[in-house]
Amino acid sequence: MANTNNVTELIITGLFQDPEVQRVCFVVFLPVYVATVVGNGLIVLMVKVSKRLHSPMYFFLSYLSLVEISYSSTVVPKFITDLLAKIKTISLEGCVAQIFFFHFFGVTEILLLVVMAYDRYVAICKPLHYTTIMSRPVCHHLVAGSWLGGIFHSMVQIVVTLQLSFCGPNVIDHYFCDLHPLFKLACTDTSVEGLIVLANSGLFSIFSFLLLVSSYVVILVNLRNHSAEGRRKALSTCASHITVVMLFFGPAIFLYMRPPSTFTEDKLVAVFYTVVTPMLNPIIYTLRNAEVRIAMRRLWGKKVNSGVE
């Protein structure tokens, strides 16, 4: 750490204090995490093996699912194991690492959602030029740009965190490490750091959300020129994207657009976007997309047949 710190280990209060409630949470959240990994992993596998899912849209969806697994895994495994622990601790270095990867995968997901919206815009508004604009090299560059954007964002967050000194209390009132709860433990004034986080996280989320909403408005307006069948297919796909966008951005904007001086962490909102939302994404895309459902049935049929043989 950049500054001298008397604190080397942090105590995490967790979601609830009652041991019985914590055990119930363990029984609930463990299957949710397993479903997150399995559901998103199946999407990655289906896109890789199914010839029907080799279009740019599914290429981006497979990376979104991969990011969802990584994003959830930065928080949920430790959160679940801590539910059975009497004292929940994490090293200061481990806390900083968790913050880095949590924001890295979170911003990468935001940028992938923007890329997916751009893909739908090109497909619907410029269909004759779609294959040229969304070529395979362009798709790879867009995905790489999303990862690089996530790294840049997280590096800013970590540089801000490393400037702080921790010399007193070491109890984080949360169930994982994040910037605002950590700022409360700093020995120095964090108003400047809070403004940087507000700009880097809150305003970035707002700008990305408005960009996504604007793109889907343009898409919906252009759908008037399509046939009834074309509108139905496009609306089905866009509905999945819009639902995922709302589930992801709602909690993020709610938490990061408030100044840290008046910030009151809502743990239940945090549970929603760290535990529940990553599990819902594969369900949303599977239920709303016929091609994904067909690919899943074929993949399952191959497994059954190979098992019989």
Side-chain angles (χ1 to χ4, degrees), residues 114 201-213 249 253:
V114 173
S201 293
L203 295 180
F204 175 78
S205 297
I206 285 285
F207 175 77
S208 301
F209 179 72
L210 292 177
L211 180 64
L212 284 164
V213 170
F249 278 92
I253 292 172

Side-chain angles (χ1 to χ4, degrees), residues 217-236:
V217 168
V218 173
I219 289 171
L220 292 175
V221 170
N222 276 270
L223 281 177
R224 294 180 302 176
N225 302 323
H226 288 65
S227 64
E229 180 64 17
R231 283 197 300 269
R232 186 189 66 79
K233 289 183 178 179
L235 284 173
S236 177

Side-chain angles (χ1 to χ4, degrees), residues 1-308:
M1 306 295 286
N3 295 327
T4 303
N5 295 297
N6 295 329
V7 176
T8 58
E9 189 176 65
L10 301 171
I11 297 174
I12 301 172
T13 60
L15 188 59
F16 299 107
Q17 303 302 313
D18 189 330
E20 288 296 326
V21 176
Q22 291 188 65
R23 281 192 283 270
V24 171
C25 289
F26 177 85
V27 173
V28 172
F29 291 136
L30 180 59
V32 170
Y33 176 66
V34 172
T36 297
V37 175
V38 172
N40 285 287
L42 279 174
I43 289 181
V44 174
L45 180 62
M46 282 189 300
V47 173
K48 187 173 181 62
V49 302
S50 176
K51 294 180 180 179
R52 297 174 61 94
L53 305 180
H54 281 181
S55 67
M57 181 178 73
Y58 298 111
F59 174 77
F60 296 134
L61 177 59
S62 68
Y63 275 97
L64 181 69
S65 295
L66 181 62
V67 169
E68 287 284 20
I69 294 173
S70 305
Y71 174 74
S72 181
S73 297
T74 61
V75 172
V76 180
K78 177 164 176 52
F79 165 53
I80 291 174
T81 54
D82 281 348
L83 289 170
L84 301 180
K86 290 184 178 180
I87 301 177
K88 308 165 181 58
T89 61
I90 187 171
S91 67
L92 187 57
E93 290 79 8
C95 182
V96 172
Q98 190 177 62
I99 290 173
F100 175 84
F101 287 108
F102 178 70
H103 285 269
F104 166 49
F105 291 119
V107 169
T108 301
E109 179 170 352
I110 289 176
L111 294 175
L112 280 173
L113 289 172
V114 173
V115 167
M116 292 173 75
Y118 175 69
D119 171 70
R120 290 301 84 202
Y121 165 78
V122 175
I124 293 171
C125 301
K126 299 177 185 266
L128 298 179
H129 305 284
Y130 179 72
T131 55
T132 303
I133 296 175
M134 301 304 295
S135 63
R136 184 60 62 169
V138 169
C139 292
H140 283 292
H141 289 149
L142 289 172
V143 169
S146 299
W147 288 97
L148 290 174
I151 291 175
F152 177 77
H153 167 85
S154 289
M155 289 302 298
V156 173
Q157 307 289 61
I158 293 307
V159 168
V160 169
T161 305
L162 292 178
Q163 305 308 309
L164 302 177
S165 294
F166 302 93
C167 53
N170 67 333
V171 178
I172 289 186
D173 186 19
H174 210 326
Y175 64 89
F176 71 99
C177 285
D178 203 2
L179 292 164
H180 287 302
L182 190 62
F183 282 178
K184 292 181 180 180
L185 306 184
C187 303
T188 55
D189 178 56
T190 59
S191 56
V192 175
E193 288 81 0
L195 290 174
I196 295 173
V197 170
L198 178 66
N200 196 34
S201 293
L203 295 180
F204 175 78
S205 297
I206 285 285
F207 175 77
S208 301
F209 179 72
L210 292 177
L211 180 64
L212 284 164
V213 170
S214 301
S215 65
Y216 284 116
V217 168
V218 173
I219 289 171
L220 292 175
V221 170
N222 276 270
L223 281 177
R224 294 180 302 176
N225 302 323
H226 288 65
S227 64
E229 180 64 17
R231 283 197 300 269
R232 186 189 66 79
K233 289 183 178 179
L235 284 173
S236 177
T237 302
C238 290
S240 301
H241 292 318
I242 293 171
T243 302
V244 170
V245 166
M246 296 302 295
L247 288 173
F248 186 86
F249 278 92
I253 292 172
F254 174 76
L255 290 177
Y256 291 104
M257 278 304 293
R258 291 180 291 179
S261 58
T262 60
F263 188 87
T264 302
E265 185 68 36
D266 190 333
K267 296 180 184 179
L268 294 179
V269 173
V271 166
F272 185 77
Y273 72 78
T274 57
V275 182
V276 180
T277 300
M279 179 198 67
L280 293 178
N281 286 357
I283 297 174
I284 293 169
Y285 283 112
T286 302
L287 291 178
R288 301 288 306 183
N289 193 298
E291 289 184 323
V292 175
R293 292 198 301 270
I294 292 171
M296 184 172 287
R297 282 198 293 267
R298 288 183 175 179
L299 180 64
W300 182 255
K302 288 181 181 178
K303 287 185 176 182
V304 171
N305 292 334
S306 62
V308 172

